[in-house]
Amino acid sequence: MSTMNVSLPDTLKAFVDDQVDKRGYGTSSEYVRELIRRDQDRQLLRGLLLEGASSAPGVPADDDYFAALRKRAQGQ
C-alpha cells in the first residue's frame, strides 16, 4: 500500500478525528479510504445515470411489463 500525506487545517483535522471516534474507524486513514470509495461509487452511478438518460427510450414499465417480469421470475 502506498502512503500519501495530506495537510489539513486544524478545524478539518478535528472533524476527521471526531468522525473516526464517533463512527468506529480505527484510524483517520480508514475514514479517508471510505470517503474515496464512496466518491468512486458516486461517480460511477452518475456516469450510469447520464448514460441511461442519453440512451433510447425503453419499454414502458406498466402493469403488463411487471406481469411479464413476474412470469419470467416464476419460470413460466
Side-chain angles (χ1 to χ4, degrees), residues 10-11 24 28-30 32 34 36-37 46 68 71 73-74:
D10 291 338
T11 55
S28 57
S29 292
E30 288 179 13
V32 171
E34 177 68 18
I36 293 169
R37 285 186 198 102
R46 185 176 192 279
K71 282 184 181 180
Q74 294 169 353

Side-chain angles (χ1 to χ4, degrees), residues 3-56:
T3 299
M4 175 185 284
N5 295 318
V6 178
S7 298
L8 299 173
D10 291 338
T11 55
L12 287 181
K13 178 160 183 345
F15 177 80
V16 169
D17 291 342
D18 189 49
Q19 295 304 299
V20 169
D21 291 339
K22 287 182 178 177
R23 298 173 77 186
Y25 293 99
T27 65
S28 57
S29 292
E30 288 179 13
Y31 176 67
V32 171
R33 282 192 294 269
E34 177 68 18
L35 292 177
I36 293 169
R37 285 186 198 102
R38 286 183 185 192
D39 193 44
Q40 287 176 322
D41 290 346
R42 184 191 59 79
Q43 288 183 27
L44 175 62
L45 178 59
R46 185 176 192 279
L48 292 171
L49 290 170
L50 289 172
E51 182 181 327
S54 65
S55 67

Side-chain angles (χ1 to χ4, degrees), residues 53-65:
S54 65
S55 67
V59 178
D62 56 11
D63 289 339
D64 293 335
Y65 171 83

